[in-house]
Amino acid sequence: MIFAVLIAVLIISFFILWYRKNKSIKTIKKTIPDIEFGIKKEKLQIVHVSDLHFIDPKLTDSGKYFARNPEKDGRLIQYIDQIVDSFILEMIEKNPDLIIISGDLTYNGEKTSHEKLSKKLSVLKSKGIEVLLIPGNHDIDNKEARDYSSEEYEKVESISSEEFAEIYRDFGYREDEARLISRDKNSLSYMYMISPKQCVLMIESSYGKNTNYISNQTFSWIQKVLNIARENNLSVISVTHQNILAHNKMFIEGYKIENSMKLVGVLSEYNVRLNLSGHIHLQHISENQGVVDASVGCIALYPNLYANITVDRRDYIEYKTESLDISKWAYKYGWKNSDLLNFKEKSKEKFEFFGETMFSNLIKSIPASSEEKKDMEKFIIDSSIAYFSGNMDKYKDYYNTDNEIYKKWCRYCENTPEMAYLNSICTDNSKCHNKIRINL
């Protein structure tokens, strides 16, 4: 009798598992519809840009208060309207299959900035160029949203997560879009098909329970959609705003998602080889467990980089950065501003000025000669430019710990944050961070 009951239980268990498996397959097949894609080619061309920090021109007259505020990191925010316009013009000329914007779309989450940027991005949509995006830590419910159109400032309205999804509904958040495989109910994350065999996993980690963190609910959703992709033989590229791997030993807390190694493990398990991120404003590539985290530099910060990505799903992913050529568009469209006509030089000057303000007080205080101080200041500023540009490998024979000027920093500035920072970049000079080929 007991034996018969056991047999019955086993049979019932078998049918329950069979039913669940077939129900799961049925759900998966229903989730991935038969979509007619305009993209028929084997290789996809994707552009990744991050940290636009766009501000509605009506919110600033570039007065003294506004001019002081953004100088803390060297961005040319006073020209962000022209930078974004130049990027759009360059993308129309380049005509990629997809543009990915990985957060910090606005300066400080101003509602009018979001609305203005959405209208600008609609130009790309009208040209047949797909744009997908997620918010960054600056974009939602930001209490620092300001109007800088005078010597003082005035608080202005920011937006909620629901308003974000509505404003950018044509850029990944349209619920009735057939290519939207799934939207996480607990965040602004989603999975989106970009070709018959390729999709992108846009992971939001900047708001609510997911502030620089990925909640258990969102992790469950990530595993669910990655399983859907695996069952349907879809390749996946993931996208986050914050980094999922460390890119500098000085800048981990607040820059890397707190529980990112759990995400790296999940991505590795499902053979997601590339994650695109930003946030740190540094051009840098790290790898762990077969997962590459490519952090693209800030488009408003010298050298104004974006990334070109070629995806051949049967063979490789190729990643290479390019500087936005603002001066080209300034000349073409008759912009009269000399800063825009010589933008590369102006952008570099702004970075150098930022470096001077960051390091001058320390350098002035040390008991070194004027010539030594000048050499030390130039060394840390120039090495910072090379580092943030992803080019330290080109100068590794000079920007290293054996350099005599570096040793002067050790002698005069030991145990200072500035010295720790210089050490972090001069010991990270062995490889190029502007390109990588990932063989699949």
Side-chain angles (χ1 to χ4, degrees):
M1 181 66 180
I2 294 175
F3 179 76
V5 170
L6 288 173
I7 293 294
V9 168
L10 286 172
I11 292 171
I12 291 169
S13 298
F14 171 79
F15 277 106
I16 289 172
L17 289 171
W18 178 87
Y19 173 77
R20 287 178 176 175
K21 180 180 178 182
N22 281 274
K23 183 180 179 183
S24 175
I25 292 171
K26 185 177 180 181
T27 302
I28 289 169
K29 287 181 178 178
K30 184 179 178 182
T31 305
I32 309 297
D34 186 15
I35 303 168
E36 182 64 30
F37 284 91
I39 303 170
K40 299 293 185 182
K41 50 194 175 184
E42 288 295 320
K43 296 180 182 179
L44 292 175
Q45 301 298 327
I46 300 172
V47 167
H48 175 218
V49 65
S50 193
D51 298 87
L52 304 181
H53 293 286
F54 176 80
I55 185 168
D56 182 353
K58 292 180 180 179
L59 295 179
T60 174
D61 61 359
S62 296
K64 290 181 180 179
Y65 186 87
F66 179 75
R68 285 198 305 270
N69 204 38
E71 283 175 3
K72 58 187 176 182
D73 68 354
R75 290 171 288 156
L76 276 171
I77 298 297
Q78 62 265 46
Y79 295 123
I80 194 59
D81 192 39
Q82 293 87 349
I83 291 171
V84 171
D85 285 349
S86 297
F87 177 74
I88 289 170
L89 290 166
E90 200 152 309
M91 291 304 100
I92 292 171
E93 181 180 77
K94 189 180 286 286
N95 193 32
D97 299 309
L98 172 67
I99 297 169
I100 292 172
I101 310 177
S102 59
D104 278 0
L105 311 177
T106 57
Y107 187 55
N108 274 321
E110 311 83 12
K111 185 174 183 178
T112 61
S113 296
H114 281 297
E115 292 170 340
K116 183 82 171 181
L117 179 61
S118 180
K119 288 180 180 179
K120 286 179 179 289
L121 297 177
S122 294
V123 174
L124 293 167
K125 193 85 171 177
S126 71
K127 299 292 183 180
I129 301 172
E130 192 77 55
V131 180
L132 298 178
L133 52 77
I134 49 173
N137 55 294
H138 280 252
D139 291 324
I140 296 174
D141 283 345
N142 194 327
K143 292 181 174 26
E144 299 300 317
R146 301 282 191 270
D147 181 342
Y148 299 94
S149 59
S150 66
E151 292 297 310
E152 298 299 325
Y153 67 82
E154 181 180 336
K155 288 188 176 183
V156 296
E157 187 180 3
S158 187
I159 64 170
S160 66
S161 58
E162 292 80 10
E163 288 173 310
F164 183 93
E166 178 58 30
I167 291 169
Y168 295 108
R169 64 194 306 267
D170 290 331
F171 310 109
Y173 290 98
R174 184 183 286 275
E175 294 288 353
D176 60 352
E177 171 58 61
R179 287 170 290 180
L180 182 65
I181 296 173
S182 179
R183 164 88 185 273
D184 180 26
K185 294 179 180 179
N186 299 286
S187 73
L188 287 166
S189 306
Y190 58 95
M191 174 90 92
Y192 198 96
M193 288 185 73
I194 58 173
S195 80
K197 291 297 181 181
Q198 183 72 48
C199 56
V200 289
L201 174 58
M202 308 290 286
I203 303 172
E204 182 260 307
S205 56
S206 298
Y207 178 74
K209 291 183 179 179
N210 281 23
T211 301
N212 203 33
Y213 188 81
I214 299 174
S215 67
N216 290 335
Q217 295 94 330
T218 296
F219 261 121
S220 296
W221 173 82
I222 289 171
Q223 289 176 304
K224 174 186 173 183
V225 294
L226 286 176
N227 187 58
I228 289 172
R230 174 185 282 176
E231 293 291 338
N232 287 272
N233 194 29
L234 295 173
S235 297
V236 180
I237 291 173
S238 61
V239 181
T240 55
H241 175 60
Q242 291 87 350
N243 310 135
I244 65 170
L245 293 173
H247 291 278
N248 179 287
K249 59 188 178 183
M250 289 280 291
F251 306 110
I252 296 176
E253 185 177 355
Y255 294 94
K256 186 172 77 71
I257 295 170
E258 289 179 19
N259 56 345
S260 64
M261 293 314 296
K262 180 179 178 182
L263 176 61
V264 172
V266 171
L267 296 179
S268 178
E269 177 187 350
Y270 285 91
N271 200 33
V272 180
R273 301 293 309 283
L274 176 63
N275 183 74
L276 303 173
S277 64
H279 185 54
I280 198 172
H281 295 185
L282 166 68
Q283 181 59 49
H284 199 275
I285 297 171
S286 295
E287 184 173 0
N288 187 288
Q289 299 179 52
V291 178
V292 171
D293 185 31
S295 177
V296 72
C298 171
I299 194 68
L301 178 71
Y302 182 82
N304 312 101
L305 296 173
Y306 61 85
N308 297 299
I309 303 152
T310 302
V311 180
D312 182 333
R313 67 181 305 272
R314 297 180 301 178
D315 194 9
Y316 64 87
I317 301 173
E318 194 168 73
Y319 175 103
K320 187 176 182 181
T321 64
E322 181 176 349
S323 288
L324 178 62
D325 191 351
I326 290 95
S327 297
K328 170 184 173 179
W329 303 107
Y331 276 105
K332 183 171 182 177
Y333 289 97
W335 300 346
K336 303 299 183 182
N337 190 305
S338 61
D339 289 346
L340 297 172
L341 294 170
N342 301 281
F343 192 84
K344 183 177 179 180
E345 293 78 11
K346 179 65 178 177
S347 186
K348 187 176 181 182
E349 282 176 16
K350 184 64 180 288
F351 196 116
E352 290 170 338
F353 176 74
F354 161 66
E356 290 169 8
T357 59
M358 283 290 293
F359 306 119
S360 61
N361 288 338
L362 174 64
I363 291 173
K364 286 176 184 177
S365 69
I366 62 176
S369 68
S370 297
E371 185 175 347
E372 285 177 315
K373 290 179 180 180
K374 185 177 178 181
D375 288 344
M376 289 171 65
E377 183 178 69
K378 180 174 174 54
F379 184 84
I380 196 168
I381 291 173
D382 289 351
S383 59
S384 294
I385 290 173
Y387 184 67
F388 274 78
S389 303
N391 288 328
M392 281 292 276
D393 63 304
K394 292 183 179 180
Y395 310 100
K396 62 185 178 183
D397 292 336
Y398 185 73
Y399 297 127
N400 58 54
T401 56
D402 293 324
N403 186 288
E404 288 302 316
I405 303 176
Y406 177 88
K407 292 177 181 178
K408 289 177 182 177
W409 270 94
C410 294
R411 186 186 318 149
Y412 293 117
C413 304
E414 187 179 11
N415 298 324
T416 64
E418 291 86 350
M419 181 64 235
Y421 161 73
L422 183 61
N423 173 264
S424 75
I425 68 177
C426 285
T427 54
D428 185 12
N429 60 5
S430 62
K431 70 175 186 178
C432 175
H433 291 278
N434 280 294
K435 60 182 179 181
I436 188 171
R437 183 184 173 100
I438 304 169
N439 295 316
L440 302 176

